[in-house]
Amino acid sequence: ATVKVKIDNLRSGKGSVALSVFEESKAKAFPGKAEEAFETRYISLDGKQEITFDLNVPDVPFAIAVLHDENSDKKLNWFLAVP
């Protein structure tokens, strides 16, 4: 099956969007183990803060994980400050 995906309101047009589709049978891998996903894509933003594209999905229940990878290093970079 194919679905149309629209991602908008991104913080910036830098880097890329990483998107992984997980079948229900891979629920324990969701959202961080892209190597176990049905499909994973890295879509370059090229300055855009909105993208629309077609995505192949399985014919079973699934979930989609989306990450804005602003520095395109294919890693989840975050900082937690605790006062």
Side-chain angles (χ1 to χ4, degrees):
T2 302
V3 296
K4 184 169 287 296
V5 176
K6 178 181 178 181
I7 301 171
D8 58 11
N9 294 317
L10 293 165
R11 182 169 63 181
S12 73
K14 296 178 184 175
S16 60
V17 168
L19 185 139
S20 296
V21 179
F22 291 86
E23 296 175 297
E24 185 176 38
S25 64
K26 299 289 186 175
K28 290 186 180 193
F30 180 83
K33 295 184 179 175
E35 66 275 5
E36 294 187 39
F38 173 80
E39 181 176 349
T40 296
R41 281 198 193 169
Y42 296 92
I43 302 158
S44 179
L45 291 173
D46 298 322
K48 299 177 294 238
Q49 289 180 267
E50 178 179 303
I51 54 174
T52 303
F53 55 92
D54 292 328
L55 180 67
N56 294 322
V57 295
D59 291 327
V60 297
F62 64 91
I64 299 175
V66 178
L67 169 70
H68 182 189
D69 185 6
E70 285 188 286
N71 63 0
S72 295
D73 68 352
K74 298 184 180 180
K75 295 180 183 177
L76 177 60
N77 302 294
W78 58 281
F79 176 74
L80 175 63
V82 180

